[in-house]
Amino acid sequence: MHLPLPARLLPALLFSACLFVPALSRAQGYAEGIGLNYEVLPLKQKNSSEATFRGDVFRANIIVPLAVAADTSHAILAGLNLETLRFSGNRPGFEVHNVYGITPVLGYRQRLSPRTELTALALPALNSDLREVRGADVTWGGVLRAAYRSSPHRAYRLTVGYRQQFYGPQYVLLLGLDWQLGQRWRLFGDLPTTFTASYAATPRVNVGFNLNGINTAYRLLNNDQYFQYQQGHYGLFAETYLSAHLAIRATAAYAVTRRMEVYARDDQWPATIDYIGLGKAPTPLSSPIEKGLAFRLALSYRVPAP
């Protein structure tokens, strides 16, 4: 039997929910129950001094616990992640304009002991240019995550999973850490996808370094081609809390990995582990994109980690 959730327990449950959703909360040292962010990508095609253009990325996400046990030992989790990528400017041979991603999240969290939790998540996704929506546009995936808190200031995570991608099967293997070092430093993230080193300059202002990666793909109407979007950003950020839970962050980053290319439908990797492609690489139909800068502005509602 599920009982009404007392208001004083909501922050702890929201933290538990968000902690286990890599697509939404990035397993940060805090729970991001609601997030909005906008990213600007100055882009340039290789071997062309004139083919410069830009990408604009918009994302929104939310996750909440729906049914919670009276002792908070288990809960059903539900969420939604939305994104759109828009490209504009001179880009010959790069016939991608707008692509969209819709990812509902449904999962179950179980506390096995005072130190250990286990969470299973289903992660279906609709990724395409939405010019023609078909059942084949929906890809399926899921992850299983175990978390262990070794002390009040340190926790570890292991995430394994699988996702269908238009570039082939993707296997997920993430090693997570959340480590509070004294009063000012905190390290957290799920490598190799995310990592943050945060320094509390004042009670309301944090600065630091972060790694933020993405590797996904979208079906295009044109001959059932697909567009792969893979980036690994190393950046410096500054953020301030507008209230006890509302924070705004600005990040300037450099993409050490940047793959924004169009491929034929059946030209795929045999398999991918996170960012590492196994076997023979597919041949893109579009010109490769150079590495470069990225700028992000994010607004999020956070619950501090226990």
Side-chain angles (χ1 to χ4, degrees):
M1 178 178 179
H2 296 296
L3 301 178
L5 176 63
R8 66 179 182 274
L9 295 180
L10 183 57
L13 290 168
L14 186 58
F15 170 75
S16 298
C18 295
L19 185 63
F20 295 101
V21 186
L24 301 180
S25 70
R26 307 297 185 188
Q28 300 172 8
Y30 46 79
E32 183 179 295
I34 301 173
L36 300 170
N37 73 71
Y38 168 60
E39 191 170 10
V40 178
L41 306 173
L43 302 172
K44 182 179 180 181
Q45 290 180 325
K46 290 184 177 179
N47 305 320
S48 176
S49 59
E50 298 181 357
T52 59
F53 59 109
R54 62 180 278 176
D56 295 276
V57 185
F58 303 86
R59 293 190 181 93
N61 56 264
I62 184 172
I63 182 166
V64 294
L66 290 182
V68 183
D71 61 357
T72 72
S73 62
H74 57 273
I76 294 175
L77 312 176
L80 182 66
N81 185 33
L82 304 173
E83 67 176 355
T84 177
L85 286 74
R86 298 179 181 178
F87 298 97
S88 59
N90 182 29
R91 52 193 197 283
F94 186 82
E95 300 299 327
V96 181
H97 301 280
N98 301 328
V99 291
Y100 306 88
I102 304 172
T103 306
V105 179
L106 183 63
Y108 180 77
R109 177 189 62 84
Q110 176 70 55
R111 186 170 65 238
L112 303 179
S113 74
R115 292 177 178 265
T116 307
E117 288 189 339
L118 191 65
T119 297
L121 295 171
L123 301 168
L126 171 62
N127 285 3
S128 79
D129 56 14
L130 296 186
R131 295 170 61 192
E132 178 188 70
V133 178
R134 306 184 312 184
D137 294 348
V138 178
T139 57
W140 299 92
V143 297
L144 181 67
R145 171 170 285 183
Y148 174 75
R149 182 164 292 278
S150 61
S151 73
H153 302 290
R154 192 182 305 176
Y156 302 95
R157 294 177 297 272
L158 173 64
T159 303
V160 295
Y162 170 81
R163 288 217 57 163
Q164 292 178 319
Q165 296 281 8
F166 294 111
Y167 56 73
Q170 181 189 33
Y171 299 94
V172 178
L173 177 61
L174 303 175
L175 301 177
L177 171 70
D178 187 351
W179 188 5
Q180 180 75 51
L181 293 83
Q183 296 297 317
R184 293 182 178 269
W185 282 100
R186 187 162 201 161
L187 308 178
F188 53 90
D190 286 293
L191 291 169
T193 303
T194 64
F195 181 77
T196 297
S198 179
Y199 176 76
T202 74
R204 298 176 66 91
V205 176
N206 298 322
V207 296
F209 162 85
N210 62 11
L211 160 68
N212 187 22
I214 188 170
N215 187 15
T216 190
Y218 308 81
R219 189 184 75 86
L220 305 175
L221 178 61
N222 185 23
N223 295 322
D224 277 345
Q225 296 170 349
Y226 70 89
F227 166 61
Q228 184 175 8
Y229 173 41
Q230 181 189 92
Q231 290 196 129
H233 287 174
Y234 290 85
L236 299 176
F237 72 88
E239 66 181 19
T240 183
Y241 277 83
L242 306 177
S243 67
H245 298 293
L246 194 64
I248 186 168
R249 172 186 288 191
T251 303
Y254 185 82
V256 297
T257 300
R258 177 169 280 173
R259 185 187 297 273
M260 295 183 174
E261 296 165 340
V262 177
Y263 296 86
R265 177 185 61 185
D266 296 324
D267 201 3
Q268 303 174 342
W269 288 95
T272 299
I273 300 177
D274 296 322
Y275 293 94
I276 302 172
L278 306 178
K280 183 180 179 181
T283 302
L285 303 176
S286 60
S287 298
I289 305 298
E290 290 188 351
K291 303 174 183 179
L293 297 173
F295 304 95
R296 173 180 291 185
L297 188 64
L299 181 68
S300 60
Y301 180 85
R302 301 173 177 176
V303 177

